[in-house]
Amino acid sequence: MDKRERERPRVVLGVSGGIAAYKACELLRRLTESGHDVRVVPTASALHFVGEATWSALSGNPAGTEVWESVHEVPHVRIGQAAELVVVAPATADLLAKAAHGLADDLLTNTLLTARCPVIFAPAMHTEMWENPATQENVATLRRRGALVIEPAVGRLTGVDTGKGRFPDPVEIFEFCRRVLARGDRATEQDLAGRHVVISAGGTREPLDPVRYLGNRSSGKQGYALARTAAARGARVTLVAGNTELPDPAGVEVIPIGTARQLREAVLKAAADADAVVMAAAVADFRPAVYTTGKIKKIEGQEPEPIALVRNPDILAEISAERAHPGQVVVGFAAETDEVLANGRAKLARKGCDLLVVNEVGEHKAFGSAENEAVILAADGTETPVPYGPKETLAETVWDLVAPRLAETRR
């Protein structure tokens, strides 16, 4: 094995016997094309949906189901021992039950018992199976032991049924895996396990008439990075998303909104039992005083009437002042164009939040970009600079500062 091969992260993709097995091919493609060395371990049932030849061809590695194959290599032990990440996608109710009870009757379940790396399960099944108390108890057991069980999506299931239990978007499962791997030795710490966090993302739009609105350039990428990162660290995540074109992060409850007042209502409701609230959305400070029910017409030779504006509610200040319970951590974002730190410090004092992420915005800065640069100001006077880099890096730093503050509330 050459140096390049040794440096490729080793991932085991377990595939159990559900109809969503065909969607795991897209996950496998994402993993291999991004430089991961992937070994697919399907169950015998999974091969009824996607054949062994497909898994082997897409991964470039042999795909087997039995502990009796290549016995001299002791695959039932070696595969799990060598892995840096194990992801089971889809994970059926049967597979979750076996994993929770330590059963090992095939190569995949043996691999799960020998793995000492982060383990992710992406369940897919009918709603009744997911909601069954036995399945819920098995999921709780796996999470208690440190496994990451992604909440299934809501949508169309096999046949005509619709409900919770749909396989999450493979692209988002890949992003979830990427975040877990990026944490390296810290991946199994799960410092947000058992916590509920609420994140706002995107930009609000304030309607002028049926076809026009006041808006901003926010893409929602930073808020979505915060949501993915929190989920990878074990949190239950509620994402209040305004006007984005991004796919729902895997395992995250997404509440779509349009206006600032809708965002306020959704955030206050979700924050009632939240341990932390992160207001990353770009919320419009003003809205038109009057909504015109018909399209505002352009009249030849006449200038348009001035548009009167009124203030929108200050959601960050409200949440900071009226916390749902003692110990709730509140994080705000400040997008500034000049005197960035001075304005940020003034805003931190004015809003009353625990942390304020301050960044400079403008053309090609922050909004719409995959990168960000910021200084995180804390109410205790400390400052944490985050150099220019991926928005996931800033997200990790935010949670690095939030997690110890939450830990203090458990003492």
Side-chain angles (χ1 to χ4, degrees):
M1 180 183 297
D2 62 28
K3 180 180 179 181
R4 185 182 62 82
E5 288 176 322
R6 287 196 303 270
E7 291 176 348
R8 295 173 65 199
R10 294 180 297 273
V11 177
V12 173
L13 173 58
V15 184
S16 58
I19 185 64
Y22 78 93
K23 296 182 180 180
C25 294
E26 173 64 13
L27 174 59
L28 174 57
R29 186 181 70 81
R30 295 269 174 175
L31 288 166
T32 54
E33 290 186 355
S34 57
H36 299 83
D37 180 13
V38 187
R39 175 75 179 264
V40 182
V41 183
T43 65
S45 297
L47 297 182
H48 287 288
F49 297 99
V50 180
E52 184 176 333
T54 299
W55 298 122
S56 298
L58 291 177
S59 68
N61 288 314
T65 64
E66 298 295 334
V67 297
W68 307 111
E69 297 172 357
S70 303
V71 174
H72 65 288
E73 297 178 356
V74 200
H76 73 289
V77 173
R78 296 288 181 258
I79 294 175
Q81 286 179 334
E84 295 171 61
L85 177 72
V86 176
V87 52
V88 183
T92 60
D94 178 70
L95 189 284
L96 293 172
K98 288 179 177 178
H101 290 85
L103 300 181
D105 61 354
D106 61 8
L107 190 56
L108 177 54
T109 48
N110 272 270
T111 297
L112 291 171
L113 282 183
T114 57
R116 293 295 179 267
C117 59
V119 177
I120 300 170
F121 294 92
M125 64 196 74
H126 267 69
T127 306
E128 294 83 358
M129 299 176 74
W130 172 252
E131 294 178 348
N132 188 284
T135 302
Q136 290 301 302
E137 180 61 30
N138 290 333
V139 169
T141 297
L142 290 168
R143 285 174 172 162
R144 191 168 59 249
R145 293 174 184 163
L148 287 161
V149 184
I150 301 172
E151 288 287 313
V154 176
R156 183 69 177 269
L157 306 172
T158 306
V160 298
D161 294 335
T162 299
K164 188 169 186 177
R166 182 181 174 86
F167 190 62
D169 186 330
V171 176
E172 287 303 312
I173 298 176
F174 165 72
E175 290 295 333
F176 190 98
C177 294
R178 197 168 64 86
R179 293 315 313 148
V180 172
L181 280 168
R183 300 199 69 218
D185 294 339
R186 302 173 57 202
T188 58
E189 289 179 5
Q190 297 300 290
D191 53 1
L192 296 180
R195 298 295 193 175
H196 176 210
V197 302
V198 175
I199 302 161
S200 70
T204 61
R205 294 177 179 177
E206 309 301 324
L208 290 164
D209 63 22
V211 297
R212 300 182 181 92
Y213 61 83
L214 296 178
N216 55 63
R217 298 175 183 271
S218 178
S219 65
K221 290 179 180 178
Q222 185 62 72
Y224 275 61
L226 283 157
R228 291 191 188 98
T229 302
R233 294 170 76 147
R236 175 167 69 91
V237 183
T238 301
L239 179 62
V240 181
N243 305 296
T244 76
E245 297 180 357
L246 303 171
D248 292 353
V252 171
E253 179 189 9
V254 179
I255 301 173
I257 57 89
T259 68
R261 285 180 289 182
Q262 290 170 349
L263 187 142
R264 175 185 178 273
E265 180 181 358
V267 167
L268 289 178
K269 182 178 179 180
D273 69 340
D275 297 288
V277 180
V278 181
M279 294 293 298
V283 184
D285 293 322
F286 310 100
R287 67 180 184 274
V290 176
Y291 172 73
T292 304
T293 56
K295 180 182 175 182
I296 301 172
K297 299 291 186 181
K298 179 175 67 175
I299 301 175
E300 200 66 38
Q302 293 187 18
E303 292 298 318
E305 292 291 326
I307 298 172
L309 301 177
V310 296
R311 286 184 178 275
N312 269 323
D314 191 330
I315 307 168
L316 177 59
E318 182 177 356
I319 290 175
S320 299
E322 302 174 15
R323 310 209 181 196
H325 56 80
Q328 186 178 64
V329 177
V330 179
V331 182
F333 272 67
E336 301 291 345
T337 57
D338 55 72
E339 298 185 31
V340 175
L341 285 181
N343 287 334
R345 293 186 187 102
K347 185 171 184 177
L348 175 64
R350 189 170 65 251
K351 301 293 185 180
C353 50
D354 300 289
L355 299 167
L356 187 71
V357 182
V358 184
N359 56 358
E360 185 177 359
V361 298
E363 288 287 343
H364 310 298
K365 288 185 178 180
F367 285 150
S369 171
E371 290 77 32
N372 207 347
E373 180 180 8
V375 176
I376 305 175
L377 307 178
D380 62 12
T382 58
E383 299 182 4
T384 305
V386 182
Y388 186 80
K391 288 184 172 177
E392 289 85 357
T393 301
L394 176 57
E396 291 282 6
T397 306
V398 169
W399 295 121
D400 285 345
L401 295 172
V402 169
R405 286 168 168 79
L406 291 177
E408 291 177 1
T409 65
R410 285 180 170 164
R411 295 175 184 172

